[in-house]
Amino acid sequence: MNESPDPLLDLLHLLDLERIERDIFRGVSRSSLVPRVFGGQVAAQALVAAGRTVPDDRSAHSLHAYFLRAGDPGAPIVYTVDRIRDGRSFTTRRVVAVQYGQPIFHLSASFQTYEEGMEHQAPMPAAPDPETLPTAAEMLPRYADRFSDPGVVDRLIEARAAVDLRYVDAPPFGTVGEAREPRSQVWFRTNGKLADDPLLHVCLATYVSDMTLLDSVLLAHGRGGWAVGDVVGASLDHAMWFHRPFRADEWLLYDQESPSASGGRGLGQARIHTADGRLAITVIQEGVVRVPRA
């Protein structure tokens, strides 16, 4: 396994897009576990592009995105930003990601100046202390016999080296063949400190949000996932609402569940809380989830 000496720095470089025109940016991709661009990467890069056209006093409060085509990780991605609206309180941007002359991803994002308002939130669910849970490097080798490809464990560890992601219960590939409640919890934070840039923390959370959200769909049917080979799928759309400030380099609880699967699609919804109980983010995603044909 050729792990970078600083995986987090590599990820930050990945999100530091090249500006080639006022509202046009170019990004590259990292090697992926599947032969396409990781959805969390293109979503985070698109949000970076949008955020760089917005005044510093406006923070991202929501995004809505569609994955249109599989991206080629070997080719650059061009992000074009449309300045849809600049209001007194809200700013709206639309971003299209293009490869080989075709759109592969579409994002709309809204930004808002800070203001006081009514306050309430759903309570944080019970979860164990993240420091008591195994790291990916400690947990994944336990399930090496579940994968037909012996290199999957090393590739999974390498892909998540920039993020400390810890499962509260066994992941889908840990209980193949056993249908469970369609709910999954993970704690996550970056493996290193980040600069005090709110957009950076929002983009890192966006990147991580695509890693495990559809796990709960798999759990309901006792499926292990792509690495086991008992399902095939891809993200279709993704929505996030950023409620309160947070830091992606401090522990965040990703509480995920699936209310429905039908028609070859599965829906995941989640809330992300800070360690002290504040509701920071709500996430909803639908993806293609199919059983491979014989």
Side-chain angles (χ1 to χ4, degrees):
M1 180 173 62
N2 297 319
E3 188 173 322
S4 164
D6 194 339
L8 179 57
L9 186 59
D10 286 350
L11 178 55
L12 295 178
H13 286 160
L14 192 76
L15 298 181
D16 188 17
L17 303 181
E18 175 191 4
R19 194 169 206 149
I20 57 178
E21 273 288 352
R22 177 173 179 259
D23 293 333
I24 302 175
F25 302 82
R26 180 163 49 209
V28 297
S29 300
R30 64 189 304 177
S31 59
S32 179
L33 294 166
V34 291
R36 59 176 181 265
V37 176
F38 170 52
Q41 175 204 303
V42 69
Q45 287 181 330
L47 189 56
V48 169
R52 289 187 176 176
T53 70
V54 174
D56 291 340
D57 66 343
R58 304 195 174 203
S59 300
H61 78 84
S62 70
L63 67 83
H64 301 263
Y66 283 91
F67 299 89
L68 306 175
R69 294 178 175 85
D72 177 0
I77 306 172
V78 174
Y79 296 90
T80 301
V81 181
D82 288 336
R83 301 182 182 232
I84 302 299
R85 181 175 183 268
D86 289 291
R88 287 184 296 178
S89 299
F90 291 89
T91 292
T92 306
R93 295 291 184 261
R94 181 174 59 205
V95 183
V96 179
V98 176
Q99 279 188 323
Y100 304 117
Q102 291 188 313
I104 64 168
F105 178 83
H106 174 278
L107 174 139
S108 292
S110 184
F111 301 76
Q112 181 190 16
T113 58
Y114 175 78
E115 61 182 82
E116 297 287 345
M118 294 181 288
E119 279 279 342
H120 79 273
Q121 69 164 69
M124 181 177 181
D129 184 335
E131 299 291 351
T132 67
L133 302 173
T135 65
E138 294 167 340
M139 180 269 290
L140 285 165
R142 302 176 188 173
Y143 303 111
D145 62 343
R146 309 297 170 92
F147 310 118
S148 57
D149 179 354
V152 164
V153 169
D154 282 348
R155 294 202 301 275
L156 279 167
I157 292 173
E158 184 175 6
R160 297 179 177 181
V163 179
D164 190 348
L165 191 149
R166 306 190 186 193
Y167 280 87
V168 170
D169 296 304
F173 48 79
T175 55
V176 176
E178 175 189 340
R180 293 161 50 190
E181 181 184 2
R183 183 168 182 174
S184 175
Q185 288 183 326
V186 297
W187 285 96
F188 73 87
R189 66 180 177 184
T190 57
N191 264 322
K193 297 299 290 182
L194 300 173
D196 296 331
D197 176 359
L199 178 64
L200 179 62
H201 291 264
V202 166
C203 291
L204 262 298
T206 300
Y207 179 87
V208 178
S209 70
D210 191 41
M211 286 184 172
T212 61
L213 186 50
L214 297 181
D215 279 2
S216 51
V217 177
L218 304 179
L219 292 175
H221 301 274
R223 298 284 169 170
W226 70 266
V228 173
D230 60 358
V231 295
V232 293
S235 302
L236 288 171
D237 57 9
H238 197 85
M240 302 180 73
W241 292 264
F242 305 100
H243 308 300
R244 292 170 179 83
F246 64 91
R247 293 189 65 92
D249 55 5
E250 297 178 353
W251 285 118
L252 296 167
L253 177 65
Y254 201 3
D255 188 64
Q256 306 153 95
E257 63 178 344
S258 174
S260 177
S262 64
R265 305 183 316 276
L267 185 70
Q269 59 187 25
R271 292 169 176 162
I272 298 179
H273 284 82
T274 61
D276 61 3
R278 290 177 295 113
L279 178 58
I281 311 169
T282 297
V283 192
I284 297 180
Q285 182 184 80
E286 189 172 48
V288 172
V289 183
R290 296 181 177 133
V291 177
R293 296 178 180 177

